[in-house]
Amino acid sequence: MWDTLIVNPMINALLLFYNFLGHNFILAIAFLTIVIRLITLPLNLKQQRSMIRTQEIQPEINAIQKKYRDNPQKMQEEFKRIGYNPADTLSGCIPTLIQFPILIGLYRAITTILGTTPQALFELVPRVYPAINLTNLIPVENKFMWLNLSQPDPLFILPIIVFGSMFIQQKLLTPAPPKGQTQQDNPAAGMSQSMMYTMPLMFGFFSLQFPAGLSIYFILANVIGIAQGLYLQRIMNRERAEREARGEKRPVVVEAEKGAAKSHQSANGAGSSKTKVTSGSTAPRRKKGSAKR
Amino acid sequence: MNHMSRPLARPALRLLLFAAALFLLTGCGGRLATTNWAGLSTDGRRVYLAYGAQVLAYDPAEETQVWTHPAESTGAVFFAAPAAADGRVVLGDYGRAGGLFSPRVTVSIYGLEEGDTGGASQVWVNTDNARDKIVAPPLQVGDQVFLGTADNHVLALDAANGTLQWDYETGHAIWGQPAYADGTLYVASMDHSVYALNAATGELKWSQPLGGALPSGPTLGDGLLYVSSFDGNVHALDMATGEERWAAPSADDWIWGAPALLDGTLYFGDIGGTLYAVDAATGEQRWMKETQNAIQTSPVAIDDVLYVASQVAVDTPTGALTAYAVTDGSQLWSEPTTTPLYATPVVVEDDLIVSTQDANALLIGFDLATGQERWRYALPQTN
């Protein structure tokens, strides 16, 4: 089932691209990466947008949670009012969940195609669709510059690039927590910050262990992710600027309790001991409050 | 429910998933393609089997295991059939990983000296000249050892100490054992070409590109060498010039195993299950037989009988050792095995020996005449 739905289509896609792209396996991996990224683009954009948006209104979410901890119904109403849907937290995981079958499937596809053992080739045969003439494609070229694509990069260059490119991507996609906000104020942001380092380290480690062909995929996927992140940032900045230009107010009405409000002030740099966040609370207004200090 | 946990759910889930991915990816097979079927060879007296972490020597006459190498697992795995001659055994491994944080792989070639009463001691090891796994069985000729590597090179080593004499690079991996005749080494490469090299210097005499990848070593004949190819043909080349004399039988399936030559006739099978007999001089077909079994090995031709190890393609793949009459391909007997047979059988005295991937029957000895099982060797529990 797994092979039929995930691994074999990837094997055949890679072989097809390899055939059409001048028998260059790096180009085949690059093309497949682009195709996969295009397929998952809507989901990725939604996830990233949701993540940035949640980070922006995190202080309000915290305040609501604290204030209405004993009144879930009211809490949901307030969440709805500020445009936050907790279910998005789970739906936002879908792109991440999709990445795993893709990653594992691609790993299997690359190692099967570049298996470099008779048994690996023997096992490849029944996986290839009849429309593909495997005889003309075998053996798949596994050398590229100093790399043997079926082995890890002996010069450590790819693992370093994987780490660097993934770190940049994570940095772009992880909004910095507002000044003065602690991890206790915003645990989600704290977690995201820590993942900004752990994920690149993890994938850098993968690259030390797995075929260079998979590292090429990681790098290309990261580069595309960086471009996507930059594009998204630009779009969201423009949208925010347009909102501000129209004087739109942030739809938040919370009569925060003292503790919650304090946390909120800390997050936004406000100073009074009790803050009334009204429906008139907007990003410019908070900025103005901060400016007063 | 603690509502503070909701914003945490996404990153926490991600961390969990990435940890799972780390586990899954690591479990997917690790850094090296470390599996293959066992490599089987003989020096006419003992049987040598490279089956993973160790290589063993087995005496069929005594039905005893003579030695294993290395005594303890070193992390390296062996699948290339060892080359044994005159008490010296040469073998190559698939490489040993450099450690958790090192991407480097060390591939080694070993020279062992066998004692008369048992045991084998390592005389030399070469870790410098092969950069990817040794799939091809080495070849010993006099004081030289020749072998192909998966990183495209043909290496000539001094058989006494393992030092490199020369190195020739082809276009892709070499999986087949080289063949030697009159100072010339013939090598079939997966890059679709056959190379003739001066055995003393490594200098190229000629190369001949063919229509498909060449997974097995050449078979030497009378002025011609024969190479099986994924293009569905056995190609006959002039040994002196490399010129192609004929190609047959244009099968739809890959021809993997090297052809067997007996009394002017070549015998070979394709992975679709067809067995062929063709005239070695002209390539003219003498007979063909549909066996229904995938044939990836080389047939063994002795007297008037052709022995073929094959894979029986059903839901749970099994294997079969089948004897055919060389005259017309009629089946004489067939013995089933619990796993597919991927390695070419070897003959020691009256025993026809196959290797399987079943630890309870790593080696099975069949009576050459009747096909009756005589003995089997199971992997010792201590291994």
Side-chain angles (χ1 to χ4, degrees), chain A residues 47 50-51 54 58 61-62 65 69 72 75-76 79 84 86 88-89 92-93 96-97 100 103-104 107-108 115-119 121-122 125 134-135 138-143 148 150-154 156 184 187-188 191-192 195 198-199 202-203 205-206 208-210, chain B residues 3-4 6-15 17-19 21-22 24-26 28-33 35-37 94 99-105 131-133 135 150-152 169 171-172 175 190-192 211-213 230-231 254 256 271 294 296 311 342 357:
Chain A
Q47 180 206 24
S50 163
M51 198 167 87
T54 304
Q58 192 64 49
I61 294 170
N62 289 350
Q65 283 173 336
R69 66 160 70 90
M75 185 189 293
Q76 292 305 320
F79 279 161
Y84 169 65
D88 285 346
T89 301
C93 290
T96 310
L97 286 171
F100 284 100
L103 200 61
I104 296 167
Y107 170 84
R108 290 279 308 279
T116 69
T117 69
Q119 184 166 310
L121 182 57
F122 210 63
V125 176
L134 191 60
T135 302
I138 293 297
V140 170
E141 183 53 55
N142 61 0
K143 294 282 176 71
N148 179 340
S150 63
Q151 290 192 347
D153 175 9
F156 295 87
Q184 208 173 10
M191 189 72 86
S192 296
M195 283 184 65
T198 53
M199 276 179 55
M202 202 179 286
F203 276 82
F205 177 73
F206 285 165
L208 284 173
Q209 302 292 311
F210 295 121
Chain B
H3 300 294
M4 282 297 284
R6 277 185 178 146
L8 274 174
R10 183 163 48 191
L13 189 58
R14 271 189 185 171
L15 268 180
L17 287 169
F18 275 106
L22 179 67
L24 282 172
L25 280 172
T26 307
C28 276
R31 56 195 307 168
L32 295 169
T35 56
N36 199 19
W37 47 76
Y94 266 37
L100 198 60
F101 294 100
S102 170
R104 293 180 198 282
V105 174
R131 285 177 290 279
D132 200 353
K133 57 187 79 64
V135 176
D151 74 324
N152 312 356
E169 186 172 12
H172 213 283
W175 286 0
M190 289 296 284
D191 70 1
H192 301 198
F230 283 173
D231 70 358
W254 292 354
W256 194 310
I271 62 168
Q296 175 270 327
Q311 176 189 353
Y342 295 122
Q357 295 178 316

Side-chain angles (χ1 to χ4, degrees), chain B residues 27-237:
Chain B
C28 276
R31 56 195 307 168
L32 295 169
T34 53
T35 56
N36 199 19
W37 47 76
L40 181 66
S41 63
T42 183
D43 63 352
R45 184 171 64 110
R46 289 174 176 169
V47 176
Y48 302 90
L49 186 73
Y51 62 95
Q54 288 180 313
V55 174
L56 70 84
Y58 185 82
D59 186 337
E62 301 292 329
E63 294 184 25
T64 54
Q65 174 189 297
V66 185
W67 53 259
T68 59
H69 181 85
E72 301 286 331
S73 175
T74 60
V77 289
F78 304 82
F79 295 104
D86 304 327
R88 186 193 298 126
V89 181
V90 178
L91 41 118
D93 68 26
Y94 266 37
R96 190 169 48 243
L100 198 60
F101 294 100
S102 170
R104 293 180 198 282
V105 174
T106 303
V107 179
S108 304
I109 306 159
Y110 309 80
L112 312 180
E113 204 73 55
E114 285 189 295
D116 285 337
T117 53
S121 54
Q122 184 174 302
V123 180
W124 52 263
V125 58
N126 178 320
T127 56
D128 299 326
N129 300 114
R131 285 177 290 279
D132 200 353
K133 57 187 79 64
I134 311 290
V135 176
L139 174 72
Q140 291 195 62
V141 179
D143 57 0
Q144 283 184 296
V145 173
F146 304 102
L147 75 168
T149 70
D151 74 324
N152 312 356
H153 289 256
V154 184
L155 306 177
L157 306 180
D158 186 323
N161 53 31
T163 54
L164 182 71
Q165 293 180 336
W166 53 260
D167 179 348
Y168 182 86
E169 186 172 12
T170 69
H172 213 283
I174 297 156
W175 286 0
Q177 185 180 38
Y180 174 91
D182 300 329
T184 302
L185 191 72
Y186 300 95
V187 180
S189 170
M190 289 296 284
D191 70 1
H192 301 198
S193 291
V194 179
Y195 298 83
L197 305 171
N198 183 315
T201 63
E203 189 184 355
L204 178 69
K205 289 184 172 178
W206 54 259
S207 68
Q208 179 64 260
L210 300 173
L214 311 175
S216 294
T219 299
L220 299 180
D222 185 14
L224 294 178
L225 64 88
Y226 308 96
V227 190
S228 55
S229 168
F230 283 173
D231 70 358
N233 285 309
V234 165
H235 297 264
L237 307 181

